[in-house]
Amino acid sequence: MLIDIHAHLFTPRMLKRHEFWGPFMKTKGLTVGHFSLGTTQPSKAKDDDEAEANLLARMTHAARRKLMAERGVDKLVLSTPSHAFMYWAGEFGTEYARICNDELSAFCAEDPDHFDFWAHTNLARPADAVKEIERAVTQLGAKGLCVGGANFDGLEAHSEELFPVWEKLQQLDVPIMVHGFNQSIYWGEKHTDDKFETTSIVGDCFDETLFFWNLINGGALDAFPQLKTYITHAGGMAVFQLGRLHDLNRVMAPDSRNQRPLMDYLPNFYFDLDIHTPGLRRGVVEVVGVDNLVYGTNFGGAYDHGDPTEGLGLSNADREKIRSGNAIKLLKLDVKAPVAV
């Protein structure tokens, strides 16, 4: 069985919800405010309407199931695309979170055998976020909360203003999914200074590492010891620099509030193998262990490197933990057997 828990979705009603923030799909790419997602590829559309239609054609149930069948995926857990997190958009950020959750829930309800979803909330407004988490999980069926890695309009994972959010997630016993996003969206018209899409291509991994570092240093896992977090892209850089983070947490981070050695918190974290070489994947398996690994590939995104659990010397039982078993336990998925796509 194969469950991919890192997949994004736009529905028609998730686009063009604000005259400035959008989000819009245009010939120049996904556009949020002043920001447009850059690409060197020529547009496949003659105008913005066709660009939007092309995007949404890939987001239908039928299109998703077709690609799932080609890749052997039995279930996807969907989330709001990170470029549209809207932490920077004021009151609209709260409104857009409700829109996303309503849309993701409705999409999944049409085919619950194949689709579940991560909730979205406006972490820039923690009180609003707590209310929306409660609604999304208890009324709409969300399996956890997808967040950006850093800078929720000035708040970060260590900020005590966010502790009620972490408390609510622990209370509901649902995990966090961490996915970095283009910090240049905050820059307004100066977003073009990010010439090489650095705040996404490099920045996503930095943001994800920063979430790991800040959540531990800020004492959140001492206050909420049952809180679980899944970090995409193999944890950003956290796993690869784990020894450094552990050793220097005490001697060079005097304001850290964690009560235990950094490595002791590792069981609270889950990671995927979404890195592009088998050698690095084997290293992640060795450091993290199979019980805290899940399957996430940015399904249908910018690249496809096949099944990341292949060629690692794993037993069939260990592969199945990563491919489905751990996700079923972590997200409490109602999956009894593979379903036909």
Side-chain angles (χ1 to χ4, degrees):
M1 184 173 208
L2 184 53
I3 302 172
D4 195 325
I5 67 173
H6 176 188
H8 304 297
L9 180 77
F10 273 123
T11 68
R13 287 179 51 80
M14 290 168 69
L15 296 173
K16 297 189 291 192
R17 298 310 302 250
H18 189 277
E19 61 183 6
F20 177 69
W21 294 116
F24 307 98
M25 188 62 192
K26 301 185 176 184
T27 56
K28 62 182 179 180
L30 181 66
T31 300
V32 181
H34 291 294
F35 168 86
S36 290
L37 186 62
T39 177
T40 59
Q41 300 176 13
S43 176
K44 298 179 181 178
K46 67 178 183 296
D47 54 31
D48 292 347
D49 287 342
E50 186 174 319
E52 179 182 309
N54 290 344
L55 170 68
L56 293 175
R58 302 196 303 272
M59 300 288 170
T60 66
H61 293 87
R64 282 300 171 96
R65 286 191 296 260
K66 181 177 184 294
L67 187 58
M68 289 165 69
E70 293 171 1
R71 298 185 182 181
V73 176
D74 297 294
K75 173 164 278 200
L76 292 180
V77 185
L78 304 163
S79 57
T80 301
S82 59
H83 316 292
F85 280 159
M86 300 294 174
Y87 301 132
W88 49 85
E91 181 60 35
F92 176 66
T94 297
E95 177 188 347
Y96 192 67
R98 292 180 63 87
I99 291 169
C100 289
N101 292 329
D102 287 341
E103 287 297 297
L104 290 166
S105 177
F107 184 95
C108 295
E110 290 190 31
D111 187 355
D113 286 340
H114 292 111
F115 303 104
D116 276 306
F117 77 102
W118 297 92
H120 173 54
T121 58
N122 184 11
L123 291 185
R125 299 191 175 191
D128 293 346
V130 169
K131 292 177 183 177
E132 185 59 17
I133 292 167
E134 177 80 28
R135 187 182 80 95
V137 173
T138 64
Q139 298 180 33
L140 302 182
K143 300 302 180 181
L145 174 68
C146 182
V147 307
N151 189 17
F152 314 118
D153 199 25
L155 298 178
E156 294 185 293
H158 64 80
S159 300
E160 291 190 4
E161 294 94 328
L162 287 172
F163 275 35
V165 175
W166 312 146
E167 182 179 22
K168 175 57 67 173
L169 293 169
Q170 178 175 267
Q171 176 194 336
L172 295 173
D173 191 25
V174 294
I176 304 166
M177 171 189 176
V178 179
H179 192 301
F181 67 93
N182 302 62
Q183 294 290 327
S184 59
I185 296 177
Y186 278 104
W187 300 358
E189 294 184 37
K190 291 187 176 181
H191 77 89
T192 54
D193 292 349
D194 187 12
K195 296 184 183 303
F196 309 117
E197 205 66 35
T198 302
T199 67
S200 174
I201 297 169
V202 177
D204 280 8
C205 294
F206 173 77
D207 290 353
E208 289 149 8
T209 306
L210 195 61
F211 189 98
F212 174 86
W213 179 245
N214 282 339
L215 197 71
I216 293 173
N217 276 268
L221 295 179
D222 299 295
F224 313 108
Q226 303 306 313
L227 185 64
K228 298 292 191 294
T229 298
Y230 154 50
I231 306 181
T232 57
H233 309 123
M237 294 170 280
V239 174
F240 300 97
Q241 296 295 332
L242 190 59
R244 175 182 174 84
L245 299 178
H246 173 81
D247 289 344
L248 300 183
N249 167 247
R250 291 300 187 187
V251 300
M252 291 181 66
D255 294 329
S256 61
R257 301 193 294 272
N258 51 297
Q259 298 171 12
R260 294 179 286 142
L262 182 139
M263 205 79 80
D264 286 4
Y265 299 95
L266 202 57
N268 290 77
F269 293 91
Y270 291 74
F271 307 92
D272 57 32
L273 295 171
D274 188 15
I275 41 179
H276 300 182
T277 58
L280 293 176
R281 293 173 189 153
R282 284 191 289 270
V284 173
V285 171
E286 181 177 340
V287 171
V288 173
V290 296
D291 290 336
N292 284 68
L293 290 172
V294 291
Y295 195 99
T297 65
N298 188 32
F299 179 88
Y303 50 77
D304 172 28
H305 293 286
D307 184 342
T309 67
E310 289 183 346
L312 305 185
L314 295 168
S315 68
N316 288 337
D318 284 346
R319 283 190 70 201
E320 285 308 302
K321 284 184 178 181
I322 300 171
R323 286 165 53 89
S324 61
N326 293 338
I328 291 171
K329 293 178 182 178
L330 179 64
L331 278 70
K332 298 188 288 293
L333 300 176
D334 184 15
V335 177
K336 296 179 178 63
V339 289
V341 178

